[in-house]
Amino acid sequence: MAQLEQDHVIVKYATVVNWSKIDDEKVTALIEVQITPERGRGFEGIAERIYLYPQVKSVYLMSGAYDLLVEVEGGNLREVANFVSEKLSPIDSVLSTKTNFILKKYKQDGIIFEDHQEDNRLMISP
């Protein structure tokens, strides 16, 4: 473990929290961002510019209809909306954004948040 930490293979230990069990009004959004890559740097420079904002929790380069997926956390919907309109959208290379708010998390990092009961019914076969 120590060698993996030293080699930066393990970069962080984290706790998974079921925020629905806590009186916390935090809002999380996943923002799909279409961008024009920069000459010589591609997506790297724009991704770096975006991930340096403190409200940005994750940034992923994606294949498909959009280029980056940006996870943002705010105290309320207005904070996230202001981040998109005042910080993200004005970046020259950003062509469009689509914001999706997370309403409920069922599973994260392999952890199921809901209490579920096992199905104990008998299997019937023809």
Side-chain angles (χ1 to χ4, degrees):
M1 292 294 279
Q3 185 63 46
L4 293 173
E5 291 169 353
Q6 185 178 349
D7 293 342
H8 297 285
V9 174
I10 297 175
V11 294
K12 180 180 179 180
Y13 295 95
T15 303
V16 177
V17 177
N18 186 350
W19 292 105
S20 67
K21 302 237 181 217
I22 298 175
D23 290 333
D24 190 6
E25 298 300 319
K26 200 177 300 183
V27 174
T28 304
L30 300 175
I31 306 167
E32 301 170 4
V33 185
Q34 284 186 318
I35 59 177
T36 302
E38 295 175 329
R39 183 174 298 238
R41 291 197 72 196
F43 298 105
E44 301 301 317
I46 301 155
E48 180 180 352
R49 188 167 172 192
I50 293 169
Y51 69 61
L52 289 175
Y53 286 107
Q55 38 295 58
V56 174
K57 299 302 171 196
S58 303
V59 177
Y60 304 98
L61 180 62
M62 306 295 289
S63 64
Y66 54 94
D67 303 303
L68 297 177
L69 181 65
V70 180
E71 181 181 1
V72 175
E73 211 169 70
N76 55 47
L77 295 173
R78 185 175 307 279
E79 279 185 23
V80 174
N82 286 342
F83 171 78
V84 173
S85 63
E86 296 171 8
K87 306 283 191 216
L88 188 58
S89 293
I91 296 173
D92 290 336
S93 298
V94 171
L95 301 174
S96 69
T97 63
K98 180 180 175 185
T99 303
N100 303 281
F101 288 97
I102 295 177
L103 303 177
K104 182 175 182 176
K105 289 184 183 179
Y106 294 100
K107 184 176 181 177
Q108 178 182 341
D109 295 330
I111 306 297
I112 298 172
F113 293 132
E114 295 294 307
D115 294 330
H116 63 284
Q117 296 179 2
E118 295 293 322
D119 186 359
N120 294 323
R121 295 179 292 176
L122 295 174
M123 174 89 65
I124 298 176
S125 60

